[in-house]
Amino acid sequence: MKKFEEKTITSNELFKGKIISLQVDDVELPNGKTSRREIIKHPGAVCVIAKIDEGKLVMVEQYRKALERSIVEIPAGKLEPGELPEVTAERELEEETGYGCKELTHLISFYTSPGFADELVHVYIAEGLYKIEDSEGTDDDEFVELMEVTLEEAEEMVLNQRIYDAKTAYAVQYLRIEQLRNLT
């Protein structure tokens, strides 16, 4: 048994939706006692730090029903079944922004909320952006406004909570650290 491993005794799927499912697992703890875990299963997602030549970031503003408000985010989306993360990244960049890229680099992957969800987000940086003519555009149920902002403007959006999600805050922090490293 792995350190701190919780052995699943029973697993019951309570809900299966278009994007997520919810299951409840009864587990045996390392000390022999039992407990219950509520787990959200997610197919995984990507996000793209999209840099245009002028040093600006391409972002989108969109309404998030779970928050009951609009926020500014980097382009992102969920993985489709069998789709490689880099393919998803290129697709989402085009769908949400109308841009393609000459270079796409994987930076890191992280779990968003490992206490109750298995969502793994793959972070990419896209450079050498170019506008795609005849872009397919966003999904039918997705409404976004394209924005091009400087790093300083993005940092201000973090402070005034227009940027209010972990992936985008991570992107802003990453770019600031990258900029500071290049100064030394």
Side-chain angles (χ1 to χ4, degrees):
M1 196 154 131
K2 298 175 189 167
K3 188 175 184 180
F4 306 126
E5 182 177 5
E6 298 177 354
K7 182 180 175 188
T8 302
I9 301 166
T10 62
S11 185
N12 184 20
E13 185 176 75
L14 299 180
F15 171 79
K16 184 165 183 64
K18 180 180 170 187
I19 298 173
I20 64 165
S21 63
L22 170 63
Q23 70 187 49
V24 176
D25 290 359
D26 290 317
V27 299
E28 180 183 339
L29 302 172
N31 65 1
K33 294 183 179 183
T34 60
S35 190
R36 181 164 280 177
R37 302 290 185 240
E38 298 166 354
I39 301 169
I40 293 176
K41 305 297 273 181
H42 188 282
V46 301
C47 61
V48 183
I49 301 170
K51 294 169 51 175
I52 52 178
D53 292 336
E54 302 85 42
K56 290 187 173 184
L57 303 172
V58 177
M59 296 189 162
V60 294
E61 182 172 5
Q62 62 184 321
Y63 188 80
R64 293 300 193 177
K65 181 62 180 163
L67 305 179
E68 295 288 354
R69 63 178 281 202
S70 293
I71 61 174
V72 175
E73 302 176 61
I74 58 177
K78 71 175 182 66
L79 295 168
E80 295 298 333
E83 188 175 51
L84 295 173
E86 58 268 20
V87 173
T88 306
E90 289 175 346
R91 177 177 49 78
E92 289 294 337
L93 178 64
E94 179 182 344
E95 284 179 5
E96 292 191 4
T97 70
Y99 280 100
C101 65
K102 294 178 183 168
E103 187 175 339
L104 185 69
T105 306
H106 180 260
L107 297 177
I108 196 166
S109 298
F110 66 90
Y111 288 99
T112 58
S113 300
F116 64 88
D118 70 349
E119 179 186 24
L120 180 64
V121 175
H122 307 278
V123 183
Y124 288 85
I125 189 161
E127 298 177 286
L129 268 61
Y130 57 88
K131 271 298 202 186
I132 296 176
E133 292 188 33
D134 301 324
S135 176
E136 294 290 320
T138 59
D139 295 334
D140 290 340
D141 65 348
E142 193 171 42
F143 302 90
V144 301
E145 181 178 309
L146 189 63
M147 302 175 70
E148 295 175 358
V149 301
T150 65
L151 179 56
E152 292 75 19
E153 290 169 330
E155 288 173 322
E156 187 62 33
M157 287 182 198
V158 171
L159 293 175
N160 66 31
Q161 298 179 342
R162 285 190 69 204
I163 291 176
Y164 210 40
D165 67 296
K167 70 183 180 311
T168 307
Y170 174 90
V172 171
Q173 180 181 16
Y174 173 86
L175 291 170
R176 177 54 72 197
I177 291 169
E178 178 184 58
Q179 189 178 67
L180 293 172
R181 278 189 184 157
N182 290 336
L183 293 176
T184 59

Coordinates of all heavy atoms in Angstrom, one line a residue, residues 44-78:
G44 N -10.2 16.8 -18.1 CA -9.0 17.5 -18.2 C -9.2 18.7 -19.1 O -10.2 18.8 -19.9
A45 N -8.2 19.6 -19.1 CA -8.4 20.9 -19.8 C -7.0 21.4 -20.2 O -6.0 20.9 -19.7 CB -9.2 21.9 -19.0
V46 N -7.0 22.4 -21.0 CA -5.8 23.2 -21.4 C -6.1 24.7 -21.2 O -7.3 25.1 -21.2 CB -5.4 22.9 -22.9 CG1 -5.2 21.5 -23.1 CG2 -6.4 23.5 -23.8
C47 N -5.0 25.4 -21.1 CA -5.1 26.9 -21.2 C -3.9 27.3 -21.9 O -2.8 26.7 -21.9 CB -5.2 27.5 -19.8 SG -3.9 27.2 -18.7
V48 N -4.0 28.5 -22.6 CA -3.0 29.0 -23.5 C -2.6 30.4 -23.1 O -3.5 31.3 -23.2 CB -3.5 28.9 -24.9 CG1 -2.3 29.4 -25.9 CG2 -3.9 27.5 -25.3
I49 N -1.4 30.6 -22.8 CA -0.8 32.0 -22.6 C -0.4 32.4 -24.0 O 0.5 31.9 -24.6 CB 0.4 32.0 -21.7 CG1 0.1 31.4 -20.3 CG2 1.0 33.4 -21.6 CD1 1.3 31.2 -19.4
A50 N -1.2 33.3 -24.6 CA -1.1 33.7 -26.0 C -0.4 35.1 -26.1 O -1.1 36.1 -25.7 CB -2.4 33.7 -26.7
K51 N 0.8 35.1 -26.6 CA 1.5 36.4 -26.6 C 1.6 36.9 -28.1 O 2.0 36.1 -29.0 CB 2.9 36.2 -26.1 CG 3.0 35.9 -24.6 CD 4.3 35.4 -24.1 CE 5.5 36.3 -24.4 NZ 6.7 35.8 -23.8
I52 N 1.2 38.1 -28.3 CA 1.3 38.7 -29.6 C 2.6 39.6 -29.7 O 3.2 39.9 -28.6 CB 0.1 39.5 -30.0 CG1 -0.3 40.6 -29.0 CG2 -1.1 38.6 -30.3 CD1 -1.5 41.4 -29.4
D53 N 3.0 39.9 -30.9 CA 4.3 40.5 -31.1 C 4.6 41.8 -30.2 O 5.7 42.0 -29.8 CB 4.6 40.8 -32.5 CG 4.7 39.5 -33.4 OD1 5.1 38.5 -32.8 OD2 4.4 39.5 -34.6
E54 N 3.6 42.5 -30.0 CA 3.7 43.8 -29.3 C 3.9 43.5 -27.8 O 4.0 44.5 -27.0 CB 2.5 44.7 -29.4 CG 2.2 45.1 -30.9 CD 1.4 44.1 -31.6 OE1 0.4 43.5 -31.0 OE2 1.7 43.8 -32.8
G55 N 4.1 42.3 -27.3 CA 4.3 42.0 -25.9 C 3.0 41.9 -25.2 O 3.0 41.8 -23.9
K56 N 1.9 42.0 -25.9 CA 0.6 41.9 -25.2 C 0.1 40.5 -25.1 O 0.5 39.6 -25.9 CB -0.5 42.8 -25.9 CG -0.2 44.3 -25.8 CD -1.3 45.1 -26.4 CE -1.1 46.5 -26.0 NZ -2.3 47.3 -26.5
L57 N -0.9 40.2 -24.2 CA -1.5 38.9 -24.1 C -2.9 39.0 -24.7 O -3.6 40.0 -24.6 CB -1.7 38.6 -22.6 CG -0.4 38.6 -21.7 CD1 -0.8 38.5 -20.3 CD2 0.5 37.5 -22.2
V58 N -3.3 37.9 -25.3 CA -4.6 37.8 -25.9 C -5.4 37.1 -24.8 O -5.1 36.0 -24.4 CB -4.6 37.0 -27.2 CG1 -6.0 36.8 -27.7 CG2 -3.7 37.6 -28.2
M59 N -6.5 37.7 -24.4 CA -7.4 37.2 -23.4 C -8.8 37.3 -23.8 O -9.1 38.0 -24.8 CB -7.2 37.9 -22.0 CG -5.8 37.8 -21.4 SD -5.8 38.5 -19.8 CE -4.3 37.7 -19.2
V60 N -9.7 36.7 -23.1 CA -11.1 36.8 -23.4 C -11.9 37.1 -22.1 O -11.5 36.7 -21.0 CB -11.7 35.5 -24.0 CG1 -11.1 35.2 -25.4 CG2 -11.5 34.3 -23.1
E61 N -12.9 37.9 -22.3 CA -13.8 38.1 -21.2 C -15.1 37.3 -21.5 O -15.6 37.3 -22.6 CB -14.2 39.6 -21.0 CG -15.1 39.8 -19.8 CD -15.3 41.3 -19.5 OE1 -14.8 42.2 -20.3 OE2 -15.9 41.6 -18.5
Q62 N -15.6 36.6 -20.5 CA -16.8 35.8 -20.6 C -17.5 35.6 -19.3 O -16.9 35.7 -18.2 CB -16.5 34.4 -21.3 CG -15.6 33.5 -20.5 CD -15.3 32.2 -21.3 OE1 -16.2 31.7 -22.0 NE2 -14.1 31.7 -21.2
Y63 N -18.8 35.4 -19.4 CA -19.6 35.2 -18.2 C -19.5 33.8 -17.7 O -19.5 32.8 -18.5 CB -21.1 35.4 -18.6 CG -22.0 35.4 -17.4 CD1 -22.2 36.5 -16.6 CD2 -22.8 34.3 -17.1 CE1 -23.0 36.5 -15.5 CE2 -23.6 34.3 -16.0 CZ -23.7 35.4 -15.2 OH -24.6 35.4 -14.2
R64 N -19.3 33.6 -16.4 CA -19.2 32.3 -15.8 C -20.3 32.1 -14.8 O -20.4 32.8 -13.8 CB -17.8 32.2 -15.1 CG -16.6 32.2 -16.0 CD -16.7 31.0 -16.9 NE -15.5 30.8 -17.6 CZ -15.3 29.8 -18.5 NH1 -16.2 29.0 -18.7 NH2 -14.1 29.6 -19.1
K65 N -21.3 31.3 -15.2 CA -22.5 31.1 -14.5 C -22.2 30.7 -13.0 O -22.9 31.1 -12.1 CB -23.4 30.0 -15.2 CG -24.7 29.8 -14.5 CD -25.6 31.0 -14.4 CE -26.9 30.7 -13.7 NZ -27.6 31.9 -13.3
A66 N -21.2 29.8 -12.8 CA -20.9 29.3 -11.4 C -20.6 30.5 -10.5 O -20.8 30.5 -9.3 CB -19.8 28.3 -11.5
L67 N -20.0 31.6 -11.1 CA -19.6 32.8 -10.3 C -20.7 33.9 -10.4 O -20.6 34.9 -9.7 CB -18.3 33.3 -10.8 CG -17.1 32.4 -10.9 CD1 -15.9 33.1 -11.4 CD2 -16.9 31.7 -9.5
E68 N -21.6 33.7 -11.4 CA -22.6 34.8 -11.6 C -22.0 36.1 -12.0 O -22.5 37.2 -11.6 CB -23.6 34.9 -10.5 CG -24.5 33.7 -10.2 CD -25.6 33.4 -11.2 OE1 -25.8 34.3 -12.1 OE2 -26.2 32.4 -11.1
R69 N -20.9 36.0 -12.8 CA -20.3 37.3 -13.2 C -19.3 37.0 -14.4 O -19.0 35.8 -14.7 CB -19.5 37.9 -12.1 CG -18.4 37.0 -11.6 CD -17.6 37.6 -10.5 NE -16.6 38.6 -11.1 CZ -15.5 39.0 -10.5 NH1 -15.2 38.6 -9.3 NH2 -14.7 39.8 -11.1
S70 N -18.9 38.0 -15.1 CA -17.9 37.9 -16.1 C -16.5 38.1 -15.5 O -16.3 38.9 -14.6 CB -18.1 39.1 -17.2 OG -19.3 38.9 -17.9
I71 N -15.6 37.3 -16.1 CA -14.2 37.5 -15.7 C -13.3 37.4 -17.0 O -13.8 37.0 -18.0 CB -13.7 36.4 -14.7 CG1 -13.9 35.0 -15.3 CG2 -14.5 36.5 -13.4 CD1 -13.3 33.9 -14.4
V72 N -12.1 37.9 -16.8 CA -11.1 37.9 -17.9 C -10.2 36.7 -17.7 O -9.7 36.5 -16.6 CB -10.3 39.2 -17.9 CG1 -9.2 39.2 -19.0 CG2 -11.2 40.4 -18.1
E73 N -10.1 35.9 -18.8 CA -9.3 34.7 -18.7 C -8.4 34.5 -20.0 O -8.6 35.1 -21.0 CB -10.2 33.5 -18.7 CG -11.2 33.5 -17.6 CD -12.2 32.3 -17.7 OE1 -11.7 31.1 -17.7 OE2 -13.4 32.5 -17.9
I74 N -7.4 33.7 -19.8 CA -6.6 33.2 -21.0 C -7.5 32.2 -21.7 O -8.3 31.6 -21.1 CB -5.2 32.7 -20.6 CG1 -5.3 31.5 -19.7 CG2 -4.4 33.8 -20.0 CD1 -4.0 30.9 -19.3
P75 N -7.3 32.0 -23.0 CA -8.0 31.0 -23.7 C -7.9 29.6 -23.1 O -6.8 29.3 -22.7 CB -7.4 31.0 -25.1 CG -6.8 32.4 -25.3 CD -6.3 32.7 -23.9
A76 N -9.0 28.9 -23.0 CA -8.9 27.6 -22.4 C -10.1 26.7 -22.8 O -11.1 27.2 -23.4 CB -9.0 27.8 -20.8
G77 N -10.0 25.4 -22.5 CA -11.1 24.5 -22.8 C -10.8 23.1 -22.4 O -9.7 22.8 -22.1
K78 N -11.9 22.3 -22.4 CA -11.7 20.9 -22.0 C -11.2 20.0 -23.1 O -11.4 20.3 -24.3 CB -13.0 20.4 -21.4 CG -14.1 20.1 -22.4 CD -15.3 19.5 -21.7 CE -16.4 19.1 -22.7 NZ -16.1 18.1 -23.7

